[in-house]
């Protein structure tokens, strides 16, 4: 879920500059910290992760009712809000390899002795939500990660997957892209297996001895085409209420048409052992004890069946509100989802218990006489796993009210151990930096900020450190410098708020130590694994509660908007530089490739004993008109600097009416970044700056309308979206100018 290569190893943040806009009641925060009880939270985790929690399961509903009761007991005004959404569940799933080396795949996971919940009979089998049902028999072809570059390699090898079942390994891209690309290339079915190279014995001892995926473990998940739109497939852009008009399944563009299943590496190894044909290229090979073959000789033939119940299912969001004492129509939203593919201890309940810890502590503060100035809305989402459904339906249903009232949305989604990681809206970067300094790290003597800085400096000083690591290390060594937060793509419940509604949003968690990768979306993501290998005693669950709770308290009681727009302007300027470089690099590559093709260089240079054709010709890259964007970024920088200067100099002395108007303008400023037409080919996504990539799934694309148009050779769209993005930035800057003028009157 966290995307930037710059910050992937150690994320994030700190600062020594404190703006006057932040209400920082040290006594209140100290009392809040004293009310956070990791041991109690760990008990909640054990209870909530005791049984399977997939959508429609009895325990998922029981957890919703438990969460509701707790919020009510803690003094919140709480309710359950339901939606009826399309959610397929398996009726029949099978895979049989045919022939002399045939076998029937084991599509359930074995219990672990001493780990009682893994003996459940109620877990979903090997299943991928929103795949297409089917009964197909065809040869199996191995496609590596099943990403676009892999299909280009296969094409050059003379391999065609049309009419085949593809076998892809997890990694290198989001799960849902693998069957989607297989379908686009004419495949009849798709199998996705977990190679030990990514999360098995090549990483660590396997569970229960170590944290990694055992041979019988597999990764369930959704393959809905969420980069097109998330949420209920039958109600795009509108909430799945009783009166909502439903699309037919045939009309729903996020549903796949071919059957697909996940598989363990124990079974995938048997398929690979039966395959012949060309030996796979070196970068296609994982860590199984087999020579990886492509299977283009048709030696391995298989029968794949998936049949589902495609009925509507009820989902249960818990919505808890604490009314603001001074500004009840200004909302601070905080959410974490509750459903899992099985027990879901690490993903998502380790984050959910932190949210519950915050809510209990805030309730205690309120009972003791403190009241938030702004309204707090805590949200326990259902149906995140199949497609961000609970949060999306809530956001679409309440869109008008949220647009008028919501100041920010703060999300978490599971939690680990180690280093603070924050991503989100860059106007909140300094706000996050300030919070990081005030939270004690559970494992070291100092703040979570100091630990992040130590990690970044250590990485910069390691042998072979790259330029990005050295740059971050230098920033970390300077306590007067803020460190950057990352941009958000998709993969969790902030998506509808940030990228559809245009709301400021943050995603917060602790990662880097402790490992849940090996049990991700499997039967083994339960309390025993999390408590032993991920976050023993929920110590960092407590840190997450203290971190996000502090954000909520400060945002709720702030006298001035907790923003610094120069940070946003700076990163947008960087993004513009990146897309200009991208266009130049693509142009140079296309020209070099054209020269090589004309000289027949690819044919002459290849090994004559191995079939390997020329690449697909790249289109010539015209010169994109970046002038509108360059002008808009220049305006944004000036407007942001003027706003920040005025806020620092005059903010504290403004009248109450002007301060309140600044909050309204801050909300309107973020919404100004929306493009009403939406992004090319996917109008649901409206944010001009941040979006999930159409070919990355979760991974972020910044300036997406322009960047992806260049990457995908849609050069007319690149020119058009340079203008549309520039117009959005000008609207954003105009709002800043309006606020600056207000402060000067």
């Amino acid at each position: 879920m966290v995307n930037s290569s710059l910050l992937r190893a150690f994320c994030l943040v700190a600062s020594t500059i404190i703006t006057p806009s932040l209400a920082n009641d040290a006594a209140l925060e100290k009392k809040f910290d004293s009310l956070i009880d990791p041991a109690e939270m760990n008990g909640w985790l054990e209870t909530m992760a005791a049984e399977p929690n997939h959508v429609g399961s009895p325990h998922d509903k029981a957890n919703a009712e438990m969460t509701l009761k707790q919020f009510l007991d803690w003094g919140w005004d709480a309710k359950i809000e339901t939606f009826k959404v399309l959610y397929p569940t398996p009726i029949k799933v099978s895979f049989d390899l045919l022939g002399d080396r045939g076998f029937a795949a084991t599509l359930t996971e074995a219990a672990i002795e001493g780990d009682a919940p893994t003996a459940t009979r109620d877990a979903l089998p090997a299943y991928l939500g929103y795949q297409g049902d089917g009964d197909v028999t065809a040869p199996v072809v191995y496609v590596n990660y099943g990403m676009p570059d892999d299909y280009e390699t296969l094409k050059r090898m003379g391999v065609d997957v049309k009419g085949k079942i593809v076998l892809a390994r997890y990694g290198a891209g989001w799960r849902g892209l693998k069957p989607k690309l297989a379908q686009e290339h004419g495949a009849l079915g798709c199998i996705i297996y977990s190679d030990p190279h990514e999360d098995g014995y090549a990483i660590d001892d396997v569970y229960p001895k170590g944290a990694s995926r055992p041979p019988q473990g597999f990764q369930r998940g959704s393959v809905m085409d969420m980069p097109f739109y998330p949420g209920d497939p039958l109600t795009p852009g509108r909430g799945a209420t009783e009166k909502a008009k439903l699309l037919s399944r045939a009309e729903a563009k996020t549903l796949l048409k071919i059957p697909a299943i996940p598989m363990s590496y124990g079974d995938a190894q048997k398929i690979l052992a039966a395959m012949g044909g060309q030996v796979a290229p070196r970068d296609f090979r994982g860590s199984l004890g087999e020579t990886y073959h492509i299977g283009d000789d048709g030696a391995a033939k298989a029968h794949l069946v998936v049949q589902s119940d495609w009925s509507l299912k009820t989902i249960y969001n818990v919505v808890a509100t604490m009314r603001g004492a001074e500004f009840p129509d200004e909302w601070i939203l905080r959410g974490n989802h509750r459903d899992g593919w099985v027990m879901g201890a690490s993903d998502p309940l380790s984050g959910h218990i932190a949210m519950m810890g915050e809510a209990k502590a805030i309730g205690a503060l309120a009972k003791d006489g403190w009241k938030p100035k702004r309204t707090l809305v805590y949200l326990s989402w259902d149906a995140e796993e199949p497609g961000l459904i609970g949060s999306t339906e809530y956001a679409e249903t309440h869109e008008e009210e949220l647009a008028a009232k919501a100041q920010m949305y703060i999300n978490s989604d599971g939690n680990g151990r180690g280093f603070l990681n924050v991503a989100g809206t860059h106007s909140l970067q300094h706000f996050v930096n300030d919070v990081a300094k005030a939270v004690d790290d559970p494992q070291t003597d100092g703040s979570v900020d100091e630990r992040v800085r130590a990690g970044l400096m250590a990485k910069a000083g390691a042998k072979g450190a790259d330029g990005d690591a050295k740059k971050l290390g230098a920033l970390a060594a300077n306590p007067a410098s803020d460190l950057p937060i990352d941009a958000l793509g998709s993969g969790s419940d902030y998506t509808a708020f940030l990228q559809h509604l245009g709301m400021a949003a943050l995603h917060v968690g602790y990662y880097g130590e402790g490992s849940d990768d090996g049990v991700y979306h499997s039967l083994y993501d339960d309390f025993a694994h999390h408590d032993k290998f991920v976050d023993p005693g929920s110590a960092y669950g407590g840190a997450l509660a203290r971190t996000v709770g502090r954000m909520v308290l400060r945002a709720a009681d702030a006298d001035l908007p907790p923003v610094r727009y120069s940070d946003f302007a700076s990163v947008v300027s960087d993004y513009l530089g990146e897309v200009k470089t991208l266009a130049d690099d693509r142009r140079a590559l296309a020209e070099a490739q054209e020269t090589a093709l004309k000289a027949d260089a690819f044919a002459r240079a290849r090994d004559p004993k191995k079939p390997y054709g020329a690449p697909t010709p790249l289109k010539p890259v015209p010169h994109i008109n970046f002038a509108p964007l360059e002008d808009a970024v220049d305006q944004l920088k000036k407007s942001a600097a003027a706003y920040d200067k005025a806020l620092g100099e005059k903010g504290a002395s403004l009248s109450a009416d002007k301060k309140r108007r600044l909050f309204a303008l801050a909300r309107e400023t973020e919404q100004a970044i929306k493009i009403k037409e939406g992004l090319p080919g996917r109008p649901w996504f409206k944010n001009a700056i941040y979006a999930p990539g159409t070919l990355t799934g979760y991974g972020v694309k910044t300036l997406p309308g322009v960047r992806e148009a260049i990457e995908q050779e849609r050069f007319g769209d690149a020119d058009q979206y340079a203008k549309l993005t520039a117009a959005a930035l000008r609207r954003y800057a105009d709002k800043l100018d309006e606020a600056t003028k207000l402060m000067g009157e």
Side-chain angles (χ1 to χ4, degrees), residues 632-648:
V633 169
D634 286 346
Q635 180 185 348
L636 174 64
K637 287 180 177 179
K638 293 175 183 177
S639 298
Y643 177 100
D644 293 344
K645 185 174 185 292
L647 190 70

Side-chain angles (χ1 to χ4, degrees), residues 398-603:
H398 302 286
E399 182 169 355
E400 290 186 9
E401 188 173 24
L402 290 167
K405 297 178 180 180
Q407 294 292 137
M408 70 172 70
Y409 173 74
I410 305 174
N411 191 69
S412 57
D413 183 351
N415 192 55
R417 179 171 65 87
F419 298 87
L420 176 62
N421 180 298
V422 184
T425 304
H426 284 87
S427 57
L428 296 175
Q429 180 170 285
H430 185 64
F431 170 70
V432 173
N433 274 260
D434 194 57
V435 167
K437 293 184 63 180
V439 180
D440 291 335
D441 182 77
Q443 294 184 144
T444 62
D445 182 16
S447 69
V448 298
D449 153 52
E450 291 170 320
R451 184 144 205 253
V452 169
R453 288 179 179 266
L456 291 170
M457 287 187 283
K459 189 176 181 184
K463 185 177 180 180
D466 62 20
D468 287 342
K470 292 175 181 178
K471 179 180 177 181
L472 278 174
L475 284 172
N478 181 2
S481 295
D482 279 0
L483 297 177
I485 67 172
D486 203 1
L488 282 173
S490 187
S492 196
D493 290 303
Y494 52 78
T495 300
F497 300 98
L498 174 66
Q499 289 150 351
H500 186 64
L501 301 187
M503 186 187 304
L506 295 170
H507 181 70
V508 188
Y510 285 84
Y511 307 102
E513 298 170 343
S515 174
D516 64 351
D517 289 347
V519 297
Y520 180 65
H521 288 186
S522 81
L523 176 69
Y524 311 114
D525 179 9
D526 69 353
F527 177 78
H529 185 281
H530 185 85
D531 197 48
K532 183 175 182 180
F533 294 112
V534 184
D535 182 21
S538 293
Y540 275 90
L544 179 60
R546 294 195 303 275
T547 303
V548 179
R550 197 171 255 93
M551 292 177 179
V552 169
L553 294 175
R554 292 188 183 190
D557 284 352
D559 290 328
L560 294 167
V563 293
R564 193 166 73 182
Y565 291 108
S566 295
D567 295 331
F568 175 73
S570 177
V571 297
V572 172
S573 180
D574 289 344
Y575 298 155
L576 175 57
E578 291 171 5
V579 296
K580 290 168 69 176
T581 299
L582 171 66
D584 290 342
D585 289 348
R586 292 281 299 207
R587 185 178 302 107
L589 177 61
E591 291 170 353
Q593 186 198 71
E594 182 182 21
T595 300
L597 286 169
K598 287 180 177 178
D600 201 24
F602 292 103

